[in-house]
């Protein structure tokens, strides 16, 4: 019984600390600004992108290109999650429409996560989740990631994928 409880607890924890989103046709009115911040890439972000591309190569997929406008959208959303102390896909369609308008994206997806302490742990969590792995292994051309710490030192992550 204790093992069952522990398994249920771990499953719930993973469900609440990682999430993914794809453009499933839900409608949303786009509102965005042309004034977007694109910060310099951190080591953890570069490592996440390298690990994702290494995984894609290992299973015979194309590598994904780094994209600064995606980086700006990911950074903005990561900052939003920290300010609101909530891991979410809030305003996903605003990011989607921005990338459609400015990068000619025909498909957009994102993975978010919270609390992982390094690149390997967050990428492994995404690969161990069907929905997240579907985004990592999806038919995309470009991606980028934002990893930011809150005031308590906990990492928040947003990883956005597009197909041009």
């Amino acid at each position: 019984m204790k093992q069952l409880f522990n398994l249920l607890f771990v499953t719930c924890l993973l469900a609440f600390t990682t999430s993914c989103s794809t453009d499933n046709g839900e409608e949303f009115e786009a509102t965005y600004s042309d004034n977007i911040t694109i910060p310099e890439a951190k080591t953890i972000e570069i490592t996440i992108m390298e690990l994702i591309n290494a995984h894609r190569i290992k299973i015979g997929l194309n590598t994904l290109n780094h994209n600064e406008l995606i980086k700006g959208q990911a950074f903005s959303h990561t900052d939003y999650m920290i300010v609101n102390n909530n891991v979410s896909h809030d305003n996903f369609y605003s990011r989607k429409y921005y990338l459609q308008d400015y990068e000619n994206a025909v498909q957009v997806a994102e993975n978010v996560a919270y609390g992982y302490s390094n690149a390997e742990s967050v990428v492994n969590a995404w690969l161990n989740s069907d929905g997240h792995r579907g985004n990592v292994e999806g038919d995309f051309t470009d991606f980028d990631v934002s990893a930011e710490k809150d005031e308590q030192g906990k990492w928040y992550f947003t990883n956005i994928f597009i197909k041009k």
Side-chain angles (χ1 to χ4, degrees):
M1 182 68 173
K2 186 175 181 177
Q3 244 182 342
L4 180 61
F5 175 78
N6 287 341
L7 180 60
L8 182 59
F9 176 76
V10 169
T11 301
C12 289
L13 182 64
L14 283 174
F16 289 114
T17 60
T18 62
S19 185
C20 63
S21 181
T22 59
D23 59 0
N24 61 9
E26 200 176 306
E27 291 302 314
F28 179 83
E29 185 176 332
T31 57
Y32 44 77
S33 166
D34 290 336
N35 186 14
I36 198 159
T37 302
I38 304 171
E40 291 293 318
K42 296 176 191 63
T43 301
I44 190 170
E45 295 164 340
I46 294 167
T47 304
I48 288 169
M49 293 191 318
E50 289 172 346
L51 289 168
I52 288 173
N53 271 334
H55 173 77
R56 290 178 62 88
I57 290 168
K58 183 173 128 181
I59 62 171
L61 297 174
N62 62 296
T63 58
L64 302 176
N65 301 307
H66 157 76
N67 183 298
E68 286 194 349
L69 288 184
I70 296 172
K71 171 72 170 178
Q73 292 296 303
F75 173 75
S76 176
H77 183 61
T78 303
D79 187 53
Y80 170 88
M81 291 191 300
I82 290 171
V83 167
N84 290 283
N85 193 32
N86 184 37
V87 178
S88 73
H89 294 287
D90 291 355
N91 307 310
F92 171 75
Y93 288 93
S94 181
R95 292 184 293 286
K96 173 188 167 188
Y97 294 143
Y98 180 93
L99 293 168
Q100 287 175 329
D101 289 348
Y102 289 91
E103 283 296 320
N104 299 314
V106 295
Q107 186 175 341
V108 181
E110 76 179 11
N111 290 343
V112 297
Y114 163 77
Y116 294 94
S117 59
N118 59 54
E120 293 81 5
S121 63
V122 72
V123 171
N124 285 335
W126 285 332
L127 292 176
N128 287 319
S129 162
D130 291 340
H132 298 98
R133 186 176 57 255
N135 289 341
V136 169
E137 296 175 356
D139 183 20
F140 298 108
T141 56
D142 300 82
F143 76 138
D144 222 303
V145 65
S146 172
E148 299 295 327
K149 284 185 179 181
D150 68 9
E151 290 179 356
Q152 290 75 41
K154 297 287 186 180
W155 286 103
Y156 284 74
F157 304 89
T158 303
N159 188 195
I160 300 176
F161 305 85
I162 70 169
K163 178 179 182 177
K164 290 186 178 184

